[in-house]
Amino acid sequence: ADIPVVQLSLARHRDGPWHYQLARHLAPLRDEGVLIVASGDMVHNLRLLRWPLDRAEPWALHAQQRFNRLIAEGAHGALQHYETLGAEAQLAIPTPEHYLPLLYALALQTDDDEIRTFNDDVLGSLSMTSLIIGAQPAAA
């Protein structure tokens, strides 16, 4: 396929609301049929990674479940202020660069968009949760 790709850099020193508002400026691209991909992890703590990755760390699973619930509820404000979500969220997001792409994706969500979750696994201290944000196709 001939799909243009533009990579954005993250300003790590900026807070969640700043990134969310910046992403809102990308919304017109959706109207032009541009596919927007945000890649990261909601739970990403390599410092606490333990082998084998055969089970989720309890704190990582709780953080991921909370993030998923907030996403489903459309609680973008709480997700923008991830640093206020408690100790488990702070363990899940020791540095923001893996989490911030989520805010870009959520900022582009419209009222008509449905969010579908897949690959919703937690491996040790890493979440592999993936989201598809967009209106469902009409039934045939």
Side-chain angles (χ1 to χ4, degrees):
D2 185 18
I3 301 172
V5 176
V6 177
Q7 182 176 347
L8 299 177
S9 297
L10 292 173
R12 289 181 57 195
H13 65 285
R14 298 291 189 155
D15 63 10
W18 185 89
H19 285 278
Y20 188 88
Q21 290 306 316
L22 175 62
R24 300 287 295 162
H25 294 289
L26 301 175
L29 294 175
R30 285 190 65 188
D31 297 333
E32 296 177 24
V34 173
L35 172 66
I36 298 171
V37 178
S39 178
D41 288 321
M42 292 187 294
V43 176
H44 190 276
N45 192 326
L46 292 178
R47 294 178 197 132
L48 298 179
L49 189 64
R50 294 188 200 135
W51 297 94
L53 297 179
D54 57 352
R55 66 176 182 84
E57 295 293 337
W59 63 264
L61 185 59
H62 291 147
Q64 179 242 19
Q65 290 170 343
R66 185 171 190 195
F67 295 149
N68 282 354
R69 187 181 77 252
L70 292 170
I71 290 167
E73 293 171 356
H76 295 186
L79 291 160
Q80 289 174 59
H81 296 280
Y82 57 89
E83 66 281 352
T84 68
L85 295 177
E88 291 174 338
Q90 290 180 5
L91 286 172
I93 309 167
T95 59
E97 68 274 6
H98 295 279
Y99 178 83
L100 291 172
L102 172 66
L103 299 180
Y104 282 78
L106 293 176
L108 299 172
Q109 182 184 7
T110 67
D111 292 340
D112 297 332
D113 287 338
E114 183 176 313
I115 295 185
R116 290 172 280 156
T117 303
F118 68 97
N119 198 34
D120 197 26
D121 298 324
V122 178
L123 305 172
S125 60
L126 303 171
S127 167
M128 307 315 282
T129 301
S130 300
L131 306 171
I132 297 174
I133 301 173
Q136 290 290 309

